[in-house]
Amino acid sequence: MTAPHVPLLVARARKAAEAWSALTFRERERRLRRWGAELARSRADIVARICRETGKPTGDADLELVVGLEHLSWTARHAERVMRPRRVAPGLLAAEHRAIVVRRPLGVVGVIGPWNYPALTPLGVLAGALAAGNTVVFKPSEYTPDTGRALAEAFERANPGSAGVLEVLPGAGEAGAELCRAGTDKIAFTGSTRTGRSVMAACAESLTPVVLECGGNDALIVAEDADVEAAAHAAAWGAFSHAGQTCAGVERIYVAEAVSKAFVSALIRELNPVRAGEHYGRLTTPAQEAVVRQHVEDAVGHGGTFLVGGMGSFRAPGVVDPLVLTGVAEDRPAVREETFGPLAVLRVVRDLDEGVRLSNSVPQALGAAVFSASADEGVAARLRAGMVSVNGVLTFGGIAALPFGGNGASGFGRVHGEEGIREFSSAQSVTVRRLCLTGSGVTRLRSPWWKRPLLRALLRRHRSRRGPA
Ligand code: NDP
């Protein structure tokens, strides 16, 4: 589809929004669960599409689908609780009113998805938007239109007669750009930081709010007291699964000097048998391979050396075996930019503190991982990242109750979990008078009858307020 199709799809979604938002949460949950069941029944077809379009092996596509289904069912089940109206204290000024915060759906949400997880990434976003009561126009990446279509067709099969609730817009970037201008009530974008900027600029024209899930450049820190075998295993998975084309994949490894030798040996052992085309798939786009090559050549040209692989690892177009570089200065693109390929850059650091400092020194702030026997959630406070896993990698992505997203150049806003439902709603403040006193709180303050006692009471409360001991 192209730009002229976009207003038509948005209009269809707008028309469907009234009925969809009027459903009870229970009814929407039922429809979303039927969708999940239909997706599960269509597993073979969807997995085949994911593999064909992205080049990933069946096992990875299965994992992607099943994690997406977990997100869908969690979100469907919890939307009512998250969106439940909340009574708040009205305060002395408006004591005769009830005060309630009500969450309302936004209307129509435009969802723009990437190619790397063409089922999981959209499902996590669509679930929140639909469960909150919005309808959606979903533009999959031009590299993965068939997977995108499969999601929408399964919705229609599971819920016949639901035209307009989930419209799919298979098309190129130009169609995505048009969707940003089409008057939707929010755009949820997942993709590169560069396109994220264009999306935000286009949405600024109409003050359409955005949630941006952009690229990462995540570090894995191996502390002096880490289980190096576990850390090496996690680094291999985090950096090389799906050929490194994971937004929160490991791109940088900082390993404490005391365990660096043992860790490097363990990592080499882990990666020795790993082959592109066998253990993970090809790079999905030629452009992606060009970025990997460019980062590697630049790093090697500036003193970087290979710990794993070499220029011979580029075996055929799109087929690149694991590459680990060391001795790369922190200002080179391989360190500062998202490579999004089967490349990890390893640096030996003094200790966990230095690892944390370097981890925080890039513009992206999506995820981070720490391996340490003594660290717990406290270490997360020191990391500039939207998500942190301790003694694990990417764990947060598989827990449906946890919000997903980053800060800085990785974007803002959250999908998944409670935040991923609230993201697609807005707060409406409602007051209802329950007692009949003369005048409202504010006007009472100006009427001679109420003024003195009320003013005195309010001032007394403020005068006596102290901070916590
Ligand atoms: P892109 O930014 O190239 O594209 C993302 C989507 O935006 C695609 O559907 C694309 O369409 C569309 N698009 C392109 N131009 C525009 C435009 N001007 N206006 C609106 N939409 C447009 O990202 P990739 O598809 O290459 O995905 C990889 C990137 O996504 C990586 O940086 C990765 O880190 C990030 N990502 C982030 C995640 C997160 O949750 N933070 C999760 C997954 C990936 P088309 O493909 O047709 O050009």
Side-chain angles (χ1 to χ4, degrees), residues 112-116 121 139-143 171-173 176-177 180 189-193 195 198-199 213-216 247 338 340 366 404:
I112 301 176
W115 46 259
N116 60 338
T121 304
K139 192 204 101 57
S141 165
E142 68 189 280
Y143 294 103
C180 298
F189 168 82
T190 309
S192 62
T193 304
T195 311
S198 311
V199 164
E213 297 294 342
C214 300
C247 53
E338 181 187 46
F340 218 53
L366 191 58
F404 191 99

PDB file of all heavy atoms in Angstrom, residues 112-116 121 139-143 171-173 176-177 180 189-193 195 198-199 213-216 247 338 340 366 404, ligand 1:
ATOM      1  N   ILE A 112       3.878   1.409  14.081  1.00  0.00           N
ATOM      2  CA  ILE A 112       4.876   1.208  13.018  1.00  0.00           C
ATOM      3  C   ILE A 112       5.923   0.237  13.550  1.00  0.00           C
ATOM      4  O   ILE A 112       6.523   0.475  14.600  1.00  0.00           O
ATOM      5  CB  ILE A 112       5.529   2.556  12.620  1.00  0.00           C
ATOM      6  CG1 ILE A 112       4.450   3.533  12.136  1.00  0.00           C
ATOM      7  CG2 ILE A 112       6.591   2.335  11.549  1.00  0.00           C
ATOM      8  CD1 ILE A 112       4.964   4.925  11.799  1.00  0.00           C
ATOM      9  N   GLY A 113       6.110  -0.873  12.845  1.00  0.00           N
ATOM     10  CA  GLY A 113       6.959  -1.933  13.384  1.00  0.00           C
ATOM     11  C   GLY A 113       8.243  -2.155  12.597  1.00  0.00           C
ATOM     12  O   GLY A 113       8.343  -1.763  11.431  1.00  0.00           O
ATOM     13  N   PRO A 114       9.215  -2.801  13.228  1.00  0.00           N
ATOM     14  CA  PRO A 114      10.487  -3.102  12.557  1.00  0.00           C
ATOM     15  C   PRO A 114      10.466  -4.515  11.964  1.00  0.00           C
ATOM     16  O   PRO A 114       9.502  -5.261  12.147  1.00  0.00           O
ATOM     17  CB  PRO A 114      11.482  -3.045  13.712  1.00  0.00           C
ATOM     18  CG  PRO A 114      10.711  -3.608  14.864  1.00  0.00           C
ATOM     19  CD  PRO A 114       9.255  -3.267  14.631  1.00  0.00           C
ATOM     20  N   TRP A 115      11.562  -4.891  11.308  1.00  0.00           N
ATOM     21  CA  TRP A 115      11.608  -6.215  10.671  1.00  0.00           C
ATOM     22  C   TRP A 115      12.263  -7.272  11.558  1.00  0.00           C
ATOM     23  O   TRP A 115      12.160  -8.458  11.276  1.00  0.00           O
ATOM     24  CB  TRP A 115      12.355  -6.144   9.336  1.00  0.00           C
ATOM     25  CG  TRP A 115      13.656  -5.380   9.383  1.00  0.00           C
ATOM     26  CD1 TRP A 115      13.824  -4.096   8.951  1.00  0.00           C
ATOM     27  CD2 TRP A 115      14.928  -5.819   9.871  1.00  0.00           C
ATOM     28  NE1 TRP A 115      15.122  -3.699   9.157  1.00  0.00           N
ATOM     29  CE2 TRP A 115      15.831  -4.746   9.715  1.00  0.00           C
ATOM     30  CE3 TRP A 115      15.400  -7.005  10.427  1.00  0.00           C
ATOM     31  CZ2 TRP A 115      17.166  -4.818  10.091  1.00  0.00           C
ATOM     32  CZ3 TRP A 115      16.737  -7.073  10.807  1.00  0.00           C
ATOM     33  CH2 TRP A 115      17.607  -5.998  10.644  1.00  0.00           C
ATOM     34  N   ASN A 116      12.968  -6.873  12.611  1.00  0.00           N
ATOM     35  CA  ASN A 116      13.797  -7.875  13.297  1.00  0.00           C
ATOM     36  C   ASN A 116      12.986  -8.878  14.118  1.00  0.00           C
ATOM     37  O   ASN A 116      13.321 -10.060  14.174  1.00  0.00           O
ATOM     38  CB  ASN A 116      14.896  -7.210  14.133  1.00  0.00           C
ATOM     39  CG  ASN A 116      14.370  -6.294  15.193  1.00  0.00           C
ATOM     40  OD1 ASN A 116      13.239  -5.820  15.100  1.00  0.00           O
ATOM     41  ND2 ASN A 116      15.150  -6.034  16.214  1.00  0.00           N
ATOM     42  N   THR A 121       7.490  -7.937  18.388  1.00  0.00           N
ATOM     43  CA  THR A 121       7.460  -6.491  18.659  1.00  0.00           C
ATOM     44  C   THR A 121       6.068  -5.911  18.450  1.00  0.00           C
ATOM     45  O   THR A 121       5.528  -5.279  19.364  1.00  0.00           O
ATOM     46  CB  THR A 121       8.519  -5.761  17.813  1.00  0.00           C
ATOM     47  OG1 THR A 121       9.779  -6.349  18.094  1.00  0.00           O
ATOM     48  CG2 THR A 121       8.576  -4.292  18.127  1.00  0.00           C
ATOM     49  N   LYS A 139       1.452  -0.637  10.564  1.00  0.00           N
ATOM     50  CA  LYS A 139       2.336  -0.730   9.394  1.00  0.00           C
ATOM     51  C   LYS A 139       3.550  -1.588   9.728  1.00  0.00           C
ATOM     52  O   LYS A 139       4.432  -1.176  10.473  1.00  0.00           O
ATOM     53  CB  LYS A 139       2.833   0.650   8.949  1.00  0.00           C
ATOM     54  CG  LYS A 139       3.501   0.558   7.585  1.00  0.00           C
ATOM     55  CD  LYS A 139       4.496   1.656   7.317  1.00  0.00           C
ATOM     56  CE  LYS A 139       5.928   1.267   7.495  1.00  0.00           C
ATOM     57  NZ  LYS A 139       6.434   0.136   6.718  1.00  0.00           N
ATOM     58  N   PRO A 140       3.595  -2.817   9.181  1.00  0.00           N
ATOM     59  CA  PRO A 140       4.793  -3.623   9.392  1.00  0.00           C
ATOM     60  C   PRO A 140       5.931  -3.094   8.519  1.00  0.00           C
ATOM     61  O   PRO A 140       5.693  -2.301   7.610  1.00  0.00           O
ATOM     62  CB  PRO A 140       4.360  -5.018   8.934  1.00  0.00           C
ATOM     63  CG  PRO A 140       3.224  -4.798   7.997  1.00  0.00           C
ATOM     64  CD  PRO A 140       2.596  -3.479   8.339  1.00  0.00           C
ATOM     65  N   SER A 141       7.135  -3.551   8.782  1.00  0.00           N
ATOM     66  CA  SER A 141       8.260  -3.154   7.930  1.00  0.00           C
ATOM     67  C   SER A 141       8.046  -3.690   6.523  1.00  0.00           C
ATOM     68  O   SER A 141       7.438  -4.744   6.322  1.00  0.00           O
ATOM     69  CB  SER A 141       9.551  -3.739   8.500  1.00  0.00           C
ATOM     70  OG  SER A 141      10.576  -3.672   7.521  1.00  0.00           O
ATOM     71  N   GLU A 142       8.576  -2.978   5.544  1.00  0.00           N
ATOM     72  CA  GLU A 142       8.427  -3.445   4.155  1.00  0.00           C
ATOM     73  C   GLU A 142       9.152  -4.773   3.940  1.00  0.00           C
ATOM     74  O   GLU A 142       8.899  -5.478   2.966  1.00  0.00           O
ATOM     75  CB  GLU A 142       8.951  -2.399   3.182  1.00  0.00           C
ATOM     76  CG  GLU A 142      10.443  -2.206   3.229  1.00  0.00           C
ATOM     77  CD  GLU A 142      10.896  -1.009   2.398  1.00  0.00           C
ATOM     78  OE1 GLU A 142      11.004  -1.155   1.181  1.00  0.00           O
ATOM     79  OE2 GLU A 142      11.146   0.051   2.981  1.00  0.00           O
ATOM     80  N   TYR A 143      10.052  -5.126   4.860  1.00  0.00           N
ATOM     81  CA  TYR A 143      10.758  -6.406   4.737  1.00  0.00           C
ATOM     82  C   TYR A 143       9.935  -7.564   5.300  1.00  0.00           C
ATOM     83  O   TYR A 143      10.259  -8.711   5.062  1.00  0.00           O
ATOM     84  CB  TYR A 143      12.106  -6.346   5.472  1.00  0.00           C
ATOM     85  CG  TYR A 143      13.065  -5.375   4.842  1.00  0.00           C
ATOM     86  CD1 TYR A 143      13.289  -4.128   5.416  1.00  0.00           C
ATOM     87  CD2 TYR A 143      13.721  -5.683   3.656  1.00  0.00           C
ATOM     88  CE1 TYR A 143      14.145  -3.213   4.831  1.00  0.00           C
ATOM     89  CE2 TYR A 143      14.580  -4.775   3.060  1.00  0.00           C
ATOM     90  CZ  TYR A 143      14.787  -3.543   3.648  1.00  0.00           C
ATOM     91  OH  TYR A 143      15.628  -2.639   3.068  1.00  0.00           O
ATOM     92  N   GLY A 171       3.492  -1.607   3.541  1.00  0.00           N
ATOM     93  CA  GLY A 171       3.993  -0.598   2.611  1.00  0.00           C
ATOM     94  C   GLY A 171       5.382  -0.151   3.020  1.00  0.00           C
ATOM     95  O   GLY A 171       5.937  -0.647   3.998  1.00  0.00           O
ATOM     96  N   ALA A 172       5.904   0.779   2.265  1.00  0.00           N
ATOM     97  CA  ALA A 172       7.274   1.241   2.523  1.00  0.00           C
ATOM     98  C   ALA A 172       7.264   2.398   3.525  1.00  0.00           C
ATOM     99  O   ALA A 172       6.212   2.775   4.045  1.00  0.00           O
ATOM    100  CB  ALA A 172       7.912   1.659   1.216  1.00  0.00           C
ATOM    101  N   GLY A 173       8.461   2.953   3.748  1.00  0.00           N
ATOM    102  CA  GLY A 173       8.610   4.035   4.717  1.00  0.00           C
ATOM    103  C   GLY A 173       7.667   5.194   4.454  1.00  0.00           C
ATOM    104  O   GLY A 173       7.147   5.821   5.384  1.00  0.00           O
ATOM    105  N   GLY A 176       4.507   4.771   6.149  1.00  0.00           N
ATOM    106  CA  GLY A 176       4.675   5.056   7.582  1.00  0.00           C
ATOM    107  C   GLY A 176       4.663   6.548   7.835  1.00  0.00           C
ATOM    108  O   GLY A 176       4.035   7.045   8.787  1.00  0.00           O
ATOM    109  N   ALA A 177       5.350   7.297   6.953  1.00  0.00           N
ATOM    110  CA  ALA A 177       5.410   8.754   7.111  1.00  0.00           C
ATOM    111  C   ALA A 177       4.005   9.345   6.994  1.00  0.00           C
ATOM    112  O   ALA A 177       3.625  10.251   7.742  1.00  0.00           O
ATOM    113  CB  ALA A 177       6.346   9.340   6.056  1.00  0.00           C
ATOM    114  N   CYS A 180       1.959   8.970  10.081  1.00  0.00           N
ATOM    115  CA  CYS A 180       2.277   9.971  11.120  1.00  0.00           C
ATOM    116  C   CYS A 180       1.505  11.270  10.909  1.00  0.00           C
ATOM    117  O   CYS A 180       1.326  12.046  11.836  1.00  0.00           O
ATOM    118  CB  CYS A 180       3.772  10.295  11.114  1.00  0.00           C
ATOM    119  SG  CYS A 180       4.792   8.882  11.491  1.00  0.00           S
ATOM    120  N   PHE A 189       5.983   3.874  17.601  1.00  0.00           N
ATOM    121  CA  PHE A 189       7.009   3.537  16.612  1.00  0.00           C
ATOM    122  C   PHE A 189       8.078   2.647  17.230  1.00  0.00           C
ATOM    123  O   PHE A 189       8.574   2.920  18.317  1.00  0.00           O
ATOM    124  CB  PHE A 189       7.659   4.831  16.091  1.00  0.00           C
ATOM    125  CG  PHE A 189       8.909   4.587  15.288  1.00  0.00           C
ATOM    126  CD1 PHE A 189       8.823   4.235  13.946  1.00  0.00           C
ATOM    127  CD2 PHE A 189      10.169   4.686  15.878  1.00  0.00           C
ATOM    128  CE1 PHE A 189       9.980   3.985  13.208  1.00  0.00           C
ATOM    129  CE2 PHE A 189      11.317   4.443  15.149  1.00  0.00           C
ATOM    130  CZ  PHE A 189      11.227   4.091  13.809  1.00  0.00           C
ATOM    131  N   THR A 190       8.441   1.583  16.535  1.00  0.00           N
ATOM    132  CA  THR A 190       9.610   0.791  16.908  1.00  0.00           C
ATOM    133  C   THR A 190      10.517   0.725  15.695  1.00  0.00           C
ATOM    134  O   THR A 190      10.083   0.300  14.620  1.00  0.00           O
ATOM    135  CB  THR A 190       9.211  -0.646  17.317  1.00  0.00           C
ATOM    136  OG1 THR A 190       8.177  -0.566  18.285  1.00  0.00           O
ATOM    137  CG2 THR A 190      10.386  -1.374  17.933  1.00  0.00           C
ATOM    138  N   GLY A 191      11.750   1.127  15.869  1.00  0.00           N
ATOM    139  CA  GLY A 191      12.680   1.117  14.741  1.00  0.00           C
ATOM    140  C   GLY A 191      13.943   1.865  15.117  1.00  0.00           C
ATOM    141  O   GLY A 191      14.255   2.038  16.299  1.00  0.00           O
ATOM    142  N   SER A 192      14.644   2.346  14.108  1.00  0.00           N
ATOM    143  CA  SER A 192      15.944   2.977  14.365  1.00  0.00           C
ATOM    144  C   SER A 192      15.768   4.381  14.956  1.00  0.00           C
ATOM    145  O   SER A 192      14.715   5.017  14.783  1.00  0.00           O
ATOM    146  CB  SER A 192      16.733   3.059  13.066  1.00  0.00           C
ATOM    147  OG  SER A 192      16.027   3.876  12.158  1.00  0.00           O
ATOM    148  N   THR A 193      16.805   4.846  15.597  1.00  0.00           N
ATOM    149  CA  THR A 193      16.774   6.190  16.188  1.00  0.00           C
ATOM    150  C   THR A 193      16.584   7.240  15.094  1.00  0.00           C
ATOM    151  O   THR A 193      15.844   8.216  15.262  1.00  0.00           O
ATOM    152  CB  THR A 193      18.079   6.437  16.968  1.00  0.00           C
ATOM    153  OG1 THR A 193      18.205   5.389  17.936  1.00  0.00           O
ATOM    154  CG2 THR A 193      18.086   7.780  17.664  1.00  0.00           C
ATOM    155  N   THR A 195      15.038   7.007  12.110  1.00  0.00           N
ATOM    156  CA  THR A 195      13.642   7.113  11.658  1.00  0.00           C
ATOM    157  C   THR A 195      12.762   7.645  12.791  1.00  0.00           C
ATOM    158  O   THR A 195      11.814   8.392  12.545  1.00  0.00           O
ATOM    159  CB  THR A 195      13.122   5.743  11.170  1.00  0.00           C
ATOM    160  OG1 THR A 195      14.074   5.184  10.268  1.00  0.00           O
ATOM    161  CG2 THR A 195      11.801   5.872  10.457  1.00  0.00           C
ATOM    162  N   SER A 198      12.497  11.285  12.561  1.00  0.00           N
ATOM    163  CA  SER A 198      11.579  11.756  11.493  1.00  0.00           C
ATOM    164  C   SER A 198      10.139  11.580  11.941  1.00  0.00           C
ATOM    165  O   SER A 198       9.282  12.438  11.666  1.00  0.00           O
ATOM    166  CB  SER A 198      11.750  10.948  10.208  1.00  0.00           C
ATOM    167  OG  SER A 198      13.078  10.848   9.861  1.00  0.00           O
ATOM    168  N   VAL A 199       9.850  10.468  12.610  1.00  0.00           N
ATOM    169  CA  VAL A 199       8.487  10.206  13.064  1.00  0.00           C
ATOM    170  C   VAL A 199       8.057  11.297  14.037  1.00  0.00           C
ATOM    171  O   VAL A 199       6.967  11.873  13.932  1.00  0.00           O
ATOM    172  CB  VAL A 199       8.408   8.801  13.719  1.00  0.00           C
ATOM    173  CG1 VAL A 199       7.139   8.640  14.537  1.00  0.00           C
ATOM    174  CG2 VAL A 199       8.497   7.715  12.649  1.00  0.00           C
ATOM    175  N   GLU A 213      10.276   3.476  20.456  1.00  0.00           N
ATOM    176  CA  GLU A 213      11.139   2.376  20.898  1.00  0.00           C
ATOM    177  C   GLU A 213      12.242   2.260  19.863  1.00  0.00           C
ATOM    178  O   GLU A 213      12.072   1.642  18.817  1.00  0.00           O
ATOM    179  CB  GLU A 213      10.334   1.066  20.971  1.00  0.00           C
ATOM    180  CG  GLU A 213       9.201   1.065  21.968  1.00  0.00           C
ATOM    181  CD  GLU A 213       9.690   1.165  23.402  1.00  0.00           C
ATOM    182  OE1 GLU A 213      10.877   0.897  23.658  1.00  0.00           O
ATOM    183  OE2 GLU A 213       8.892   1.533  24.268  1.00  0.00           O
ATOM    184  N   CYS A 214      13.368   2.900  20.157  1.00  0.00           N
ATOM    185  CA  CYS A 214      14.420   2.983  19.137  1.00  0.00           C
ATOM    186  C   CYS A 214      15.589   2.058  19.481  1.00  0.00           C
ATOM    187  O   CYS A 214      15.518   1.248  20.392  1.00  0.00           O
ATOM    188  CB  CYS A 214      14.882   4.428  18.996  1.00  0.00           C
ATOM    189  SG  CYS A 214      13.546   5.535  18.511  1.00  0.00           S
ATOM    190  N   GLY A 215      16.649   2.241  18.743  1.00  0.00           N
ATOM    191  CA  GLY A 215      17.781   1.320  18.845  1.00  0.00           C
ATOM    192  C   GLY A 215      18.483   1.337  20.188  1.00  0.00           C
ATOM    193  O   GLY A 215      18.372   2.281  20.964  1.00  0.00           O
ATOM    194  N   GLY A 216      19.228   0.285  20.459  1.00  0.00           N
ATOM    195  CA  GLY A 216      20.011   0.184  21.695  1.00  0.00           C
ATOM    196  C   GLY A 216      21.484   0.003  21.379  1.00  0.00           C
ATOM    197  O   GLY A 216      21.891  -0.034  20.206  1.00  0.00           O
ATOM    198  N   CYS A 247      17.213  -5.386  19.345  1.00  0.00           N
ATOM    199  CA  CYS A 247      17.395  -4.004  19.822  1.00  0.00           C
ATOM    200  C   CYS A 247      18.131  -3.974  21.158  1.00  0.00           C
ATOM    201  O   CYS A 247      19.000  -3.145  21.373  1.00  0.00           O
ATOM    202  CB  CYS A 247      16.056  -3.297  19.921  1.00  0.00           C
ATOM    203  SG  CYS A 247      14.851  -4.201  20.899  1.00  0.00           S
ATOM    204  N   GLU A 338      24.922   1.820  17.294  1.00  0.00           N
ATOM    205  CA  GLU A 338      24.318   0.487  17.265  1.00  0.00           C
ATOM    206  C   GLU A 338      24.781  -0.215  15.984  1.00  0.00           C
ATOM    207  O   GLU A 338      24.571   0.296  14.891  1.00  0.00           O
ATOM    208  CB  GLU A 338      22.791   0.628  17.255  1.00  0.00           C
ATOM    209  CG  GLU A 338      22.069  -0.697  17.243  1.00  0.00           C
ATOM    210  CD  GLU A 338      20.555  -0.548  17.053  1.00  0.00           C
ATOM    211  OE1 GLU A 338      20.140   0.212  16.165  1.00  0.00           O
ATOM    212  OE2 GLU A 338      19.817  -1.201  17.804  1.00  0.00           O
ATOM    213  N   PHE A 340      24.013  -3.618  15.308  1.00  0.00           N
ATOM    214  CA  PHE A 340      22.874  -4.447  14.909  1.00  0.00           C
ATOM    215  C   PHE A 340      23.325  -5.583  13.997  1.00  0.00           C
ATOM    216  O   PHE A 340      22.761  -5.837  12.945  1.00  0.00           O
ATOM    217  CB  PHE A 340      21.837  -3.572  14.188  1.00  0.00           C
ATOM    218  CG  PHE A 340      20.427  -3.939  14.521  1.00  0.00           C
ATOM    219  CD1 PHE A 340      20.010  -4.014  15.831  1.00  0.00           C
ATOM    220  CD2 PHE A 340      19.497  -4.204  13.523  1.00  0.00           C
ATOM    221  CE1 PHE A 340      18.693  -4.347  16.149  1.00  0.00           C
ATOM    222  CE2 PHE A 340      18.184  -4.535  13.818  1.00  0.00           C
ATOM    223  CZ  PHE A 340      17.785  -4.615  15.137  1.00  0.00           C
ATOM    224  N   LEU A 366      19.020   1.699  26.342  1.00  0.00           N
ATOM    225  CA  LEU A 366      17.901   0.754  26.279  1.00  0.00           C
ATOM    226  C   LEU A 366      18.026  -0.270  27.413  1.00  0.00           C
ATOM    227  O   LEU A 366      17.373  -0.153  28.431  1.00  0.00           O
ATOM    228  CB  LEU A 366      17.868   0.087  24.896  1.00  0.00           C
ATOM    229  CG  LEU A 366      16.622  -0.733  24.571  1.00  0.00           C
ATOM    230  CD1 LEU A 366      15.359   0.100  24.676  1.00  0.00           C
ATOM    231  CD2 LEU A 366      16.712  -1.328  23.162  1.00  0.00           C
ATOM    232  N   PHE A 404       8.741  -2.269  28.855  1.00  0.00           N
ATOM    233  CA  PHE A 404       9.877  -2.381  27.948  1.00  0.00           C
ATOM    234  C   PHE A 404      10.100  -1.025  27.283  1.00  0.00           C
ATOM    235  O   PHE A 404       9.176  -0.437  26.740  1.00  0.00           O
ATOM    236  CB  PHE A 404       9.557  -3.442  26.884  1.00  0.00           C
ATOM    237  CG  PHE A 404      10.735  -3.842  26.039  1.00  0.00           C
ATOM    238  CD1 PHE A 404      11.440  -4.998  26.318  1.00  0.00           C
ATOM    239  CD2 PHE A 404      11.138  -3.058  24.966  1.00  0.00           C
ATOM    240  CE1 PHE A 404      12.528  -5.378  25.545  1.00  0.00           C
ATOM    241  CE2 PHE A 404      12.229  -3.426  24.189  1.00  0.00           C
ATOM    242  CZ  PHE A 404      12.916  -4.589  24.478  1.00  0.00           C
TER     243      PHE A 404
HETATM  244  P1  NDP B   1      13.657   1.499  10.607  1.00  0.00           P
HETATM  245  O1  NDP B   1      13.774   2.710  11.439  1.00  0.00           O
HETATM  246  O2  NDP B   1      14.371   1.450   9.306  1.00  0.00           O
HETATM  247  O3  NDP B   1      12.132   1.196  10.262  1.00  0.00           O
HETATM  248  C1  NDP B   1      11.165   1.010  11.277  1.00  0.00           C
HETATM  249  C2  NDP B   1       9.794   1.194  10.669  1.00  0.00           C
HETATM  250  O4  NDP B   1       9.606   2.561  10.299  1.00  0.00           O
HETATM  251  C3  NDP B   1       9.580   0.387   9.392  1.00  0.00           C
HETATM  252  O5  NDP B   1       8.267  -0.074   9.356  1.00  0.00           O
HETATM  253  C4  NDP B   1       9.834   1.417   8.339  1.00  0.00           C
HETATM  254  O6  NDP B   1       9.247   1.109   7.108  1.00  0.00           O
HETATM  255  C5  NDP B   1       9.194   2.637   8.941  1.00  0.00           C
HETATM  256  N1  NDP B   1       9.611   3.906   8.369  1.00  0.00           N
HETATM  257  C6  NDP B   1      10.682   4.179   7.584  1.00  0.00           C
HETATM  258  N2  NDP B   1      10.726   5.505   7.305  1.00  0.00           N
HETATM  259  C7  NDP B   1       9.678   6.072   7.934  1.00  0.00           C
HETATM  260  C8  NDP B   1       9.201   7.410   8.055  1.00  0.00           C
HETATM  261  N3  NDP B   1       9.815   8.436   7.485  1.00  0.00           N
HETATM  262  N4  NDP B   1       8.103   7.632   8.799  1.00  0.00           N
HETATM  263  C9  NDP B   1       7.476   6.610   9.420  1.00  0.00           C
HETATM  264  N5  NDP B   1       7.871   5.329   9.342  1.00  0.00           N
HETATM  265  C10 NDP B   1       8.967   5.062   8.614  1.00  0.00           C
HETATM  266  O7  NDP B   1      14.056   0.304  11.544  1.00  0.00           O
HETATM  267  P2  NDP B   1      14.276  -1.194  11.146  1.00  0.00           P
HETATM  268  O8  NDP B   1      13.049  -1.766  10.538  1.00  0.00           O
HETATM  269  O9  NDP B   1      15.563  -1.234  10.379  1.00  0.00           O
HETATM  270  O10 NDP B   1      14.450  -1.909  12.569  1.00  0.00           O
HETATM  271  C11 NDP B   1      15.655  -2.010  13.198  1.00  0.00           C
HETATM  272  C12 NDP B   1      15.774  -0.951  14.269  1.00  0.00           C
HETATM  273  O11 NDP B   1      14.696  -1.090  15.185  1.00  0.00           O
HETATM  274  C13 NDP B   1      17.022  -1.105  15.108  1.00  0.00           C
HETATM  275  O12 NDP B   1      17.596   0.151  15.344  1.00  0.00           O
HETATM  276  C14 NDP B   1      16.497  -1.700  16.412  1.00  0.00           C
HETATM  277  O13 NDP B   1      17.327  -1.448  17.505  1.00  0.00           O
HETATM  278  C15 NDP B   1      15.178  -1.045  16.521  1.00  0.00           C
HETATM  279  N6  NDP B   1      14.297  -1.809  17.396  1.00  0.00           N
HETATM  280  C16 NDP B   1      13.978  -1.282  18.623  1.00  0.00           C
HETATM  281  C17 NDP B   1      13.206  -2.004  19.504  1.00  0.00           C
HETATM  282  C18 NDP B   1      12.823  -1.418  20.837  1.00  0.00           C
HETATM  283  O14 NDP B   1      11.862  -1.921  21.411  1.00  0.00           O
HETATM  284  N7  NDP B   1      13.493  -0.417  21.355  1.00  0.00           N
HETATM  285  C19 NDP B   1      12.716  -3.350  19.179  1.00  0.00           C
HETATM  286  C20 NDP B   1      13.080  -3.786  17.875  1.00  0.00           C
HETATM  287  C21 NDP B   1      13.855  -3.035  17.023  1.00  0.00           C
HETATM  288  P3  NDP B   1      10.083   0.327   6.002  1.00  0.00           P
HETATM  289  O15 NDP B   1      10.726  -0.871   6.652  1.00  0.00           O
HETATM  290  O16 NDP B   1       9.031  -0.049   5.088  1.00  0.00           O
HETATM  291  O17 NDP B   1      11.099   1.294   5.491  1.00  0.00           O
END
